[in-house]
Amino acid sequence: VGIAIRDSSPRVKMLPDTAETLVEGRCLRVRCVIESKELELISIYLSATPNLRATQIEALRGSPVGREHDTLMGGDFNCVEDVERDTRKHVNREEYGNAHGSKLRTTMNEIGLIDAYNLVNGNIKGGFTRLSGTVHTRIDRIYSPIACSNINWQTIGPHPALFTGKGASDHLPV
């Protein structure tokens, strides 16, 4: 999971020597300039183990994310903000555990980031990115600044030639 930027675009300039680890082995931050606007891009993968995920969320809360530059953060968060909206369980299955989902939501609010899917589509159920035999979830997300008037989001589906859904992953593109 991560953010990909086509840096051959004349509108994107990666800033050298800006790569920084924010959560060891789990979160990388780089800075770039897109159309004269400096942004930090963050790729994150929170642990599937709840106690480790809680520690990683605390480390994120204590980091400089969102305090110096506008931020786009993409990743596999292994929890959702709202179980009712962001999951769909199959019949006769247990509820999704979602350890530390509310802690992540609070942290993102403090940092000033919002789930881009909800920003574009509103507070609706759907957009699941992880499909399994027991539950569908939106554990993979992109966050953007709450006030992001300079970013134009669009919803597009995965191109069939790029993602067939038959790979080794049970995650879909965001």
Side-chain angles (χ1 to χ4, degrees), residues 1 23 25-27 43-48 56 74-78 171:
V1 173
V23 178
R26 295 290 181 158
C27 183
S43 178
I44 189 165
Y45 173 59
L46 294 182
S47 179
Q56 293 159 355
D76 179 344
F77 294 89
N78 274 309
H171 296 257

Side-chain angles (χ1 to χ4, degrees), residues 84-87 117-118 120-128 138:
E84 287 300 311
R85 180 192 64 210
D86 300 328
T87 67
Y117 179 86
N118 294 334
V120 172
N121 298 293
N123 195 26
I124 64 167
K125 190 175 190 92
F128 302 115
R138 274 195 345 95

